[in-house]
Amino acid sequence: MILITGAAGKTGQAVIGSLVARGQDVRGLVRRREQALLLEQLGVEDIVTGDMGDQVTMNQAAVEADAIYHICPNVHPQEVAIGETAIRAAQAAGVRRFVYHSVLHPQIEAMPHHWQKLRVEEKLFASGLAYTIIQPAAYMQNVLANWDFIVNDGVYTVPYALETRLSMVDLRDVAEAVAAVLVEAGHEGATYELCGAEDLSQYEIAQLMAKHLGREVNAEVMAIDKWERQARRAGLSDYAVDTLLKMFRYYERYGFWGNSRVFGWLIGRSPVTFEGFLARTVRDRNHF
């Protein structure tokens, strides 16, 4: 049985879908009772409700698990402490495999949420567990947060310079790679960067959107104070806002990109391109 923490999030759901498709028994840890319905719809019957930062909850969730895929809530100020809690639960339960959802280039101290993930990786090195570390780039699916605005108004906005070049990755590909690592032997002690083959500017992203939507799409910079107001209205914490602002500044100055060779080896093919992702997205949404 494989335990997925943070199971109700988009990463957790995608990984569960890939594992269920492989016929694996999955246990999901969710924060709130109503989130269990999301997992039940994916075919998960074994669901634990509680706070992953609570040691008793994590210990209970880890009992009889063969493997754990640990996903901390995004931009969480207590990621290191939560990671330590998950590691202790795995140790107590004798879990054979611990796979950690980290991030591409966690070595970047200028982005605090990256730096926290590096500290969790460090804890894993000393844990005695058979660990694997997954380091994905930003998801292509992130652009879907404003998809209706892009489709209807033809405007793609980002809170950094339009020249900023980023590598992205399809979440479906990430889920496929994670499932392989959790199920197949030979990944112990490995750290895998999951990165697409392209590093696109924001202009190029808008051009590809225009091509697949059949309409003009303009890339525009969102003023950082406007982004901050929207983020706070959406309920983001002070820590999350500050951390993401630092991330935007880093992106704008240096870009954020990696290499896709390891990812392609893991899934046995080239990772999906952003154009391929857009073609699938438009096709799927027009189908309904």
Side-chain angles (χ1 to χ4, degrees):
M1 182 270 294
I2 299 171
L3 169 64
I4 311 296
T5 70
K10 60 185 176 183
T11 302
Q13 291 187 60
V15 170
I16 287 170
S18 288
L19 288 170
V20 170
R22 285 172 169 255
Q24 298 297 307
D25 293 327
V26 176
R27 175 182 294 159
L29 174 60
V30 298
R31 179 66 182 263
R32 299 185 301 277
R33 189 177 303 276
E34 61 268 23
Q35 294 173 319
L37 179 60
L38 296 172
L39 273 58
E40 291 171 359
Q41 293 171 343
L42 292 171
V44 179
E45 298 178 357
D46 189 350
I47 302 170
V48 177
T49 302
D51 183 352
M52 72 172 71
D54 176 68
Q55 192 67 64
V56 173
T57 298
M58 277 301 306
N59 287 354
Q60 292 172 344
V63 170
E64 296 183 349
D66 299 305
I68 294 176
Y69 189 60
H70 175 54
I71 312 166
C72 187
N74 194 33
V75 198
H76 198 292
Q78 300 301 320
E79 174 135 8
V80 177
I82 291 172
E84 290 175 321
T85 299
I87 289 169
R88 285 193 295 267
Q91 291 168 328
V95 174
R96 292 189 299 105
R97 186 175 304 183
F98 190 105
V99 183
Y100 174 52
H101 185 86
S102 185
V103 68
L104 183 68
H105 302 167
Q107 305 93 335
I108 301 172
E109 190 173 5
M111 294 192 281
H113 58 312
H114 285 231
W115 194 245
Q116 284 212 57
K117 288 185 181 292
L118 186 64
R119 303 277 72 79
V120 178
E121 293 186 15
E122 184 179 16
K123 301 293 182 183
L124 275 173
F125 298 154
S127 69
L129 296 170
Y131 68 84
T132 308
I133 296 167
I134 301 295
Q135 297 178 335
Y139 298 151
M140 295 173 183
Q141 280 78 359
N142 291 348
V143 304
L144 300 181
N146 296 311
W147 188 250
D148 290 342
F149 180 64
I150 294 167
V151 171
N152 296 327
D153 290 24
V155 178
Y156 166 64
T157 61
V158 291
Y160 36 81
L162 301 181
E163 295 80 11
T164 302
R165 307 192 73 87
L166 304 174
S167 293
M168 294 181 288
V169 67
D170 182 7
L171 177 54
R172 292 191 188 181
D173 281 355
V174 170
E176 183 179 334
V178 170
V181 167
L182 285 165
V183 172
E184 299 168 2
H187 298 287
E188 297 82 358
T191 298
Y192 294 138
E193 292 187 356
L194 306 189
C195 188
E198 311 158 295
D199 57 312
L200 299 173
S201 73
Q202 306 313 295
Y203 292 113
E204 290 168 332
I205 288 173
Q207 289 169 357
L208 288 171
M209 289 175 172
K211 175 181 176 180
H212 287 274
L213 290 172
R215 63 154 301 157
E216 183 178 6
V217 176
N218 294 311
E220 296 182 0
V221 176
M222 176 184 289
I224 206 69
D225 58 341
K226 180 179 179 180
W227 177 90
E228 184 172 352
R229 288 194 300 272
Q230 291 183 357
R232 294 189 185 280
R233 283 199 300 268
L236 268 67
S237 67
D238 290 343
Y239 172 82
V241 170
D242 180 65
T243 296
L244 292 174
L245 289 173
K246 289 176 179 176
M247 181 184 76
F248 298 152
R249 288 194 287 269
Y250 184 92
Y251 281 3
E252 186 168 77
R253 184 169 183 180
Y254 301 109
F256 192 67
W257 54 276
N259 188 289
S260 65
R261 293 286 295 273
V262 167
F263 196 9
W265 168 76
L266 267 177
I267 60 178
R269 58 174 172 78
S270 297
V272 170
T273 63
F274 186 65
E275 184 164 12
F277 163 76
L278 287 174
R280 187 186 73 212
T281 298
V282 171
R283 182 180 64 249
D284 290 349
R285 295 193 173 218
N286 287 343
H287 179 69
F288 293 100

